[in-house]
Amino acid sequence: MRCFVVAGFLLTSAPRGPSAIAEPLVILHTVTHLLTIHPCVIVIALDFSKAFDTVRYGTLIYKIADLNIPEYVYNWLVSYFSGHLHCTRYGGLSLALLDISAGIIQGSSIGPASFVVNSSDLTAVKSGNYLSKYADDTYIIIPSVNVDSRLEELEYVEAWSQTNNLTLNRAKSLKIVFTEKRRKPTFQQPPTLPCICRADIKILGVTISSMLSMHKHVDNVVSSCSHSVHELHILRAHRMTTSSVHIVFKSVVVAKLVYTASSLWGYTTADD
């Protein structure tokens, strides 16, 4: 990802990396495939409280040791996650330095990858269910035939979270029930889950409705781009050069328009 500064603003050439862009495609492909077999598919978007801040270095290093990586890479990672200290300063006074035994930097190059390694042993309990994971964005995909396994899957995730120093926040987790829009559903809606609301979900910036419609996502992107174009007019009025305007436009507006376009254009309509 390239970064550069224009008019005092730090810009990036892409909102997220290729792995993140592929995540909505993986979930959409899995849901679409399951809908050819089952009348509905339930997706539960899990939320972990302060997920990156609570990853224990000891647990992470233990899991990294199981990877097939060169020894010098492993030793570098051990060194990287060792010797972290914290100190609070206020009013000219400093408290004693304390060791930090948990917490990875979300915006660092190895931050998301480290969380992926940490959650590598988190799997679905019931055969036929799927877990889609990218960093702390975790989704349980359950076909209608396994609807009774929802609570079991959640309880397993909570047990795994406690073992790995994480906290599953049910209040912020969401559930969505996907149905095949071209045929009338012949099933009863599954009962509600404790403390989990049913709503459209946002998968790494892509809003998806229960009918696999991208209309709300397209509206959100167009609205956001409209605001960005308005801001560009203001920058141009303050004598920003044409070349700088083009750079900002490509980095902000075009990046929003093309982000995940390859994974969702098959779900858009002519109006979209």
Side-chain angles (χ1 to χ4, degrees), residues 28-230:
L28 286 171
H29 172 77
T30 303
V31 169
T32 304
H33 171 69
L34 291 174
L35 284 176
T36 63
I37 308 171
H38 307 280
C40 78
V41 177
I42 301 100
V43 175
I44 303 174
L46 303 176
D47 181 87
F48 296 104
S49 300
K50 298 182 179 179
F52 282 83
D53 296 335
T54 57
V55 174
R56 281 194 300 248
Y57 296 144
T59 304
L60 177 60
I61 291 299
Y62 179 80
K63 294 180 181 181
I64 290 176
D66 290 335
L67 301 178
N68 184 21
I69 58 176
E71 185 176 353
Y72 65 87
V73 175
Y74 171 78
N75 292 335
W76 181 88
L77 290 171
V78 171
S79 176
Y80 178 81
F81 289 113
S82 301
H84 291 202
L85 302 172
H86 172 78
C87 175
T88 300
R89 293 181 179 178
Y90 179 76
L93 300 177
S94 298
L95 299 179
L97 288 170
L98 298 176
D99 291 330
I100 298 176
S101 60
I104 54 179
I105 302 174
Q106 183 172 1
S108 64
S109 297
I110 65 172
S114 298
F115 198 96
V116 169
V117 173
N118 188 65
S119 61
S120 58
D121 56 344
L122 176 60
T123 57
V125 176
K126 183 78 172 181
S127 177
N129 295 343
Y130 299 86
L131 245 68
S132 181
K133 298 175 288 183
Y134 176 78
D136 60 332
D137 292 284
T138 304
Y139 304 88
I140 308 175
I141 305 174
I142 304 174
S144 56
V145 68
N146 289 340
V147 66
D148 293 334
S149 68
R150 296 171 303 154
L151 193 56
E152 182 183 6
E153 295 284 359
L154 283 174
E155 290 174 348
Y156 176 78
V157 171
E158 284 184 320
W160 176 89
S161 301
Q162 294 173 3
T163 302
N164 288 269
N165 201 40
L166 297 171
T167 302
L168 177 64
N169 190 343
R170 287 203 185 193
K172 289 187 177 181
S173 298
L174 297 174
K175 179 193 73 172
I176 185 170
V177 180
F178 290 102
T179 56
E180 174 55 68
K181 60 184 177 181
R182 290 174 295 184
R183 65 186 181 193
K184 292 183 179 180
T186 57
F187 65 96
Q188 292 183 346
Q189 289 291 337
T192 58
L193 285 168
C195 301
I196 294 186
C197 298
R198 179 173 174 178
D200 293 341
I201 62 173
K202 182 176 288 188
I203 304 174
L204 294 172
V206 179
T207 304
I208 303 175
S209 72
S210 60
M211 302 301 287
L212 289 175
S213 169
M214 292 296 168
H215 185 69
K216 183 178 292 187
H217 174 71
V218 172
D219 280 352
N220 292 340
V221 171
V222 171
S223 177
S224 178
C225 289
S226 297
H227 289 298
S228 299
V229 171
H230 175 69

Side-chain angles (χ1 to χ4, degrees), residues 1-4 11-16 250-252 254-255 258:
M1 179 175 64
R2 295 183 300 168
C3 301
F4 41 87
L11 304 175
T12 59
S13 58
R16 293 182 173 92
K250 290 179 181 178
S251 303
V252 178
V254 175
V258 301

